[in-house]
Amino acid sequence: MPTPHKPTPRRFYRSLYFRVIAGIFLGVVLGVVSPATAGKMEPLGTGFIKLIRMMIGPVIFFTVVVGIASIGDMRKLGRVGVKALLYFEVVTSVALAIGLAVVNVIQPGAGMKVDASKLDARAIQSYAAQGQHLSSVDFLMNIIPKTFIGAFADGEILQVLLLAILVGLALAALGQAKTLVAGCERIAHLMFGVIGLIMQAAPIGAFGAMAFTVGHYGLKTLIPLAKLMACVYITSVAFVFVVLGAIARMHGFSVWKFVKYIKEELLIVLGTSSSESVLPRIMVKMEALGCSKSVVGLVIPSGYSFNLDGTSIYLTIAAIFVAQATNTHLTGAEEAFLLLILMLSSKGAAAVTGGGFITLAATLQAVGTVPMAGLTLLLGVDRFMSEMRALTNLVGNGVATIVVARWERELDADRMKRVLDGQGEIDDNTLPEAVTAIEPVPFVDQPE
């Protein structure tokens, strides 16, 4: 009797995972060997990110519209939103507090004795100017687009999310709109197909971005501020595996297995220093993991503005580092006030390009006790720390999606266990098909 035919396993070197690693490695090598040439590679990285960003609006819009139209329940939508925002606020506040505790223990800026009056602050004036526009009212008003098309043209995630929620609710209210919903669903799959094509260029994008970073800033810039970088990196890793790890265990999964599940996305983020470069992919992967479309469509896009764990850690460490380096003594009350301002200002960090640094400038302006000119000390290494910020933000948003889906009893726990254990794992060529496969799966109540 002939043995059944087994599909030929895909060669490792042809996987996106391996190709992105190769791109990052070659970028670092070029940056070290020929900094001048590497400095010209920036268009490769920025071009790839622009290709992804042009698809983010349509992907979010059609995915969320289909998810909400399928729910047809305004109360459920509000419930998911409230739970997500509550989770975001608690976890980002914990991240801010941990960053404050670690920087006070390690004191990476102690002993530098920098005279803030002699620093050239012209390099940070553009960040300070943008930071002046990060008020809460401006941020809230910015969620409302000027026109329907304008939200897509400007690439504003929260504006697109608002439009998608309104259109989804309108479709649900129509009642007899199954044809429209099915059409939106097919367009969403088309958008993911386009994303799949663009992702083939991820290794080139990672190569260009990493080559530019190393070639332009140079590894030698890391040495004077190595203690600060180590503080940010160690704190971020500890936050992921201790804090998020504990949250994951409480909700029935392993954060380590989850990190392995999104390893390709993490590598792309590492190469591009932008978590936006994998936003469409992480949405699909969370659905393929067993989270419902409606929860994923609300939690992931909103998390990109409100659930910035890595950015929160960086903000507190960087702010106190500047104070330590410039011999600015802060009392306990002043540090608590700084933490409060960061809790408010960090929520809009993703709304602006270079958001983490701009938010930091705005915070120091508001507090007034820490010299803002001290931010010039961070310019040389901020790009390297942005990679860890983006990695931590991505893991945090993935964990948040699973948690909220569990709270809403819209998590297929059996599927999640199988996928995280490596059974039925998806790859970059089968992302849209993976989502199609889970749509018929009914979500059942899971024991809390």
PDB file of all heavy atoms in Angstrom, residues 116 322-323 326 328 364 368-375:
ATOM      1  N   ALA A 116      23.924  72.009  32.011  1.00  0.00           N
ATOM      2  CA  ALA A 116      22.836  72.183  31.054  1.00  0.00           C
ATOM      3  C   ALA A 116      22.933  73.502  30.305  1.00  0.00           C
ATOM      4  O   ALA A 116      22.496  73.612  29.155  1.00  0.00           O
ATOM      5  CB  ALA A 116      21.492  72.084  31.770  1.00  0.00           C
ATOM      6  N   VAL A 322      18.047  62.441  32.572  1.00  0.00           N
ATOM      7  CA  VAL A 322      18.431  63.822  32.276  1.00  0.00           C
ATOM      8  C   VAL A 322      18.609  64.604  33.569  1.00  0.00           C
ATOM      9  O   VAL A 322      19.561  65.394  33.717  1.00  0.00           O
ATOM     10  CB  VAL A 322      17.379  64.497  31.366  1.00  0.00           C
ATOM     11  CG1 VAL A 322      17.654  65.992  31.231  1.00  0.00           C
ATOM     12  CG2 VAL A 322      17.373  63.840  29.994  1.00  0.00           C
ATOM     13  N   ALA A 323      17.697  64.392  34.532  1.00  0.00           N
ATOM     14  CA  ALA A 323      17.812  65.073  35.821  1.00  0.00           C
ATOM     15  C   ALA A 323      19.111  64.669  36.536  1.00  0.00           C
ATOM     16  O   ALA A 323      19.832  65.520  37.072  1.00  0.00           O
ATOM     17  CB  ALA A 323      16.603  64.750  36.695  1.00  0.00           C
ATOM     18  N   THR A 326      22.305  66.127  34.766  1.00  0.00           N
ATOM     19  CA  THR A 326      22.474  67.577  34.903  1.00  0.00           C
ATOM     20  C   THR A 326      22.469  68.027  36.365  1.00  0.00           C
ATOM     21  O   THR A 326      22.332  69.222  36.639  1.00  0.00           O
ATOM     22  CB  THR A 326      21.349  68.308  34.142  1.00  0.00           C
ATOM     23  OG1 THR A 326      20.075  67.849  34.615  1.00  0.00           O
ATOM     24  CG2 THR A 326      21.450  68.056  32.648  1.00  0.00           C
ATOM     25  N   THR A 328      20.258  67.757  38.630  1.00  0.00           N
ATOM     26  CA  THR A 328      18.989  68.365  39.042  1.00  0.00           C
ATOM     27  C   THR A 328      18.338  67.460  40.079  1.00  0.00           C
ATOM     28  O   THR A 328      17.895  66.356  39.759  1.00  0.00           O
ATOM     29  CB  THR A 328      18.041  68.532  37.833  1.00  0.00           C
ATOM     30  OG1 THR A 328      18.696  69.297  36.821  1.00  0.00           O
ATOM     31  CG2 THR A 328      16.761  69.219  38.252  1.00  0.00           C
ATOM     32  N   LEU A 364       8.866  67.566  29.955  1.00  0.00           N
ATOM     33  CA  LEU A 364       9.870  68.387  30.646  1.00  0.00           C
ATOM     34  C   LEU A 364       9.496  69.864  30.592  1.00  0.00           C
ATOM     35  O   LEU A 364       9.773  70.613  31.534  1.00  0.00           O
ATOM     36  CB  LEU A 364      11.252  68.159  30.032  1.00  0.00           C
ATOM     37  CG  LEU A 364      11.828  66.739  30.164  1.00  0.00           C
ATOM     38  CD1 LEU A 364      13.280  66.706  29.714  1.00  0.00           C
ATOM     39  CD2 LEU A 364      11.707  66.229  31.597  1.00  0.00           C
ATOM     40  N   GLY A 368       9.049  71.651  34.176  1.00  0.00           N
ATOM     41  CA  GLY A 368       9.853  72.852  34.387  1.00  0.00           C
ATOM     42  C   GLY A 368      11.062  72.683  35.279  1.00  0.00           C
ATOM     43  O   GLY A 368      11.971  73.511  35.251  1.00  0.00           O
ATOM     44  N   THR A 369      11.128  71.631  36.085  1.00  0.00           N
ATOM     45  CA  THR A 369      12.243  71.453  37.013  1.00  0.00           C
ATOM     46  C   THR A 369      13.455  70.788  36.366  1.00  0.00           C
ATOM     47  O   THR A 369      14.579  70.963  36.828  1.00  0.00           O
ATOM     48  CB  THR A 369      11.799  70.605  38.224  1.00  0.00           C
ATOM     49  OG1 THR A 369      11.197  69.400  37.755  1.00  0.00           O
ATOM     50  CG2 THR A 369      10.798  71.368  39.074  1.00  0.00           C
ATOM     51  N   VAL A 370      13.232  70.006  35.294  1.00  0.00           N
ATOM     52  CA  VAL A 370      14.327  69.319  34.605  1.00  0.00           C
ATOM     53  C   VAL A 370      14.661  70.097  33.336  1.00  0.00           C
ATOM     54  O   VAL A 370      13.777  70.366  32.524  1.00  0.00           O
ATOM     55  CB  VAL A 370      13.941  67.864  34.243  1.00  0.00           C
ATOM     56  CG1 VAL A 370      15.100  67.158  33.533  1.00  0.00           C
ATOM     57  CG2 VAL A 370      13.532  67.098  35.484  1.00  0.00           C
ATOM     58  N   PRO A 371      15.944  70.492  33.137  1.00  0.00           N
ATOM     59  CA  PRO A 371      16.297  71.286  31.947  1.00  0.00           C
ATOM     60  C   PRO A 371      16.063  70.517  30.657  1.00  0.00           C
ATOM     61  O   PRO A 371      16.621  69.434  30.462  1.00  0.00           O
ATOM     62  CB  PRO A 371      17.791  71.580  32.148  1.00  0.00           C
ATOM     63  CG  PRO A 371      18.277  70.553  33.109  1.00  0.00           C
ATOM     64  CD  PRO A 371      17.113  70.232  33.995  1.00  0.00           C
ATOM     65  N   MET A 372      15.242  71.082  29.768  1.00  0.00           N
ATOM     66  CA  MET A 372      14.908  70.398  28.529  1.00  0.00           C
ATOM     67  C   MET A 372      16.122  70.277  27.609  1.00  0.00           C
ATOM     68  O   MET A 372      16.192  69.377  26.766  1.00  0.00           O
ATOM     69  CB  MET A 372      13.778  71.123  27.817  1.00  0.00           C
ATOM     70  CG  MET A 372      13.125  70.284  26.731  1.00  0.00           C
ATOM     71  SD  MET A 372      11.699  71.100  26.007  1.00  0.00           S
ATOM     72  CE  MET A 372      12.466  72.535  25.265  1.00  0.00           C
ATOM     73  N   ALA A 373      17.105  71.167  27.783  1.00  0.00           N
ATOM     74  CA  ALA A 373      18.318  71.096  26.963  1.00  0.00           C
ATOM     75  C   ALA A 373      19.050  69.781  27.172  1.00  0.00           C
ATOM     76  O   ALA A 373      19.802  69.332  26.307  1.00  0.00           O
ATOM     77  CB  ALA A 373      19.240  72.266  27.300  1.00  0.00           C
ATOM     78  N   GLY A 374      18.793  69.121  28.309  1.00  0.00           N
ATOM     79  CA  GLY A 374      19.444  67.846  28.599  1.00  0.00           C
ATOM     80  C   GLY A 374      19.029  66.742  27.646  1.00  0.00           C
ATOM     81  O   GLY A 374      19.695  65.691  27.573  1.00  0.00           O
ATOM     82  N   LEU A 375      17.944  66.961  26.897  1.00  0.00           N
ATOM     83  CA  LEU A 375      17.503  65.948  25.933  1.00  0.00           C
ATOM     84  C   LEU A 375      18.521  65.747  24.813  1.00  0.00           C
ATOM     85  O   LEU A 375      18.514  64.710  24.143  1.00  0.00           O
ATOM     86  CB  LEU A 375      16.159  66.338  25.327  1.00  0.00           C
ATOM     87  CG  LEU A 375      14.939  66.299  26.258  1.00  0.00           C
ATOM     88  CD1 LEU A 375      13.687  66.710  25.504  1.00  0.00           C
ATOM     89  CD2 LEU A 375      14.758  64.916  26.844  1.00  0.00           C
TER      90      LEU A 375
END
